[in-house]
Amino acid sequence: MKTKKIGILTSGGDCAGLNAVIRAVVNAAAQLGWEIYGIHNGTDGLTEEPLSYEVLTVHNFSDTPWPRLSGSYLGSLNKGVKMESLSEMSKRFGDGVKKLGLDAVIVVGGDGSMNITSNYCKGAGIKMVGIPKTIDNDTPITEFSVGFNTACQVCTDAVDSLNLTARSHHRALILEVMGRDAGHLAMQSALAGQADVCLVPEIPYKIDGVINKLKEIKKSGRNHAVIVVSEGIKTENGQHLSAAKNLIGEAVYGGIGQYLSAEINNRYKDFQTRVTTLGHVQRSGTPSCFDRMLAALFGAKAVELLANDQTNMMVAWKNGHVEAYSIDDVVKKGTTLLDVHSDFVKAAHALGMYIGELK
Ligand code: F6P
């Protein structure tokens, strides 16, 4: 049988565990005698001239710290693609794959990357398997994506730290976390860190609701509080705040923590507020046991799928198992937001956290 030549690329915002995924794919493929091409800088490595890639062997990862580190050894790309350029990009992607003689491509990406690259692959007739990764945990079907667990730990550590300094200074400290339009990262780290308030894009809130919670805390005799806020919530009058734009001009969220702080200060003087915007440290941190385990299982499964010629699939974690789903079904579902009826939301509410105006 002909030796398979497989490409692997990481696409979208980076996160902890990407290198563990690459290592898992390389090792599993090497067991079958396949050649692995690591594509640099997301899809750019295949669509820009000259092509940018390197042949990967087990030696790239066996005696180096890479699999244990965050970031992407291959580089990644978080810029979006204008849909009008899709057919041109798809052609360039297909040409790149053909030039390298690749039989298939493994894409490690989130919901946006699954959408874009599966369209490229469909347009160019390329076989693909997807591995979900994102700190937002919003990739459909899979219960967990690589990188989410570590990001939750980074946020939880921040809540813990803020709690201590809040206590020293009798303050209400606000932590703005990432997650785009999904509140998973905010909610799970608020639960783990025992925050007093958690605001997520999926649940409407009132500043007065936050203030009532602060008053209740004060009345109970406690002089400090921690508020976790997801970057994707809107102002009370329904606006998203943005601090930057990506390479195709789309707004990147940021600034809602400062807005909340000012609003709380205007209406309530008993707690001073300060804001920590955690930013890109959430995308790093030492990859957790769970993320490395998921990386190993996903990498092995992706190679198994290719060996069985089952392509245009995404691997997923469901009910304690690694499974595979059609990428079309994943893409059709769009983005997985926080379920307001989930156990996470129920528990937060039951524990007395203010999480907005739940119906
Ligand atoms: O999707 C991952 C993510 O970190 C989001 O949580 C965040 O909104 C966005 O990427 C930030 O993008 P950038 O890397 O372009 O700043």
Side-chain angles (χ1 to χ4, degrees), residues 78 134-136 178-180 231 252 280 283:
N78 201 12
T134 167
I135 68 163
D136 304 339
M178 286 184 165
R180 228 182 288 254
E231 63 174 3
V252 177
H280 292 79
R283 299 242 292 260

Side-chain angles (χ1 to χ4, degrees), residues 250-268:
E250 294 164 341
V252 177
Y253 295 148
I256 197 72
Q258 290 295 352
Y259 160 83
L260 271 181
S261 174
E263 288 296 320
I264 295 169
N265 268 314
N266 281 342
R267 301 185 206 180
Y268 181 60

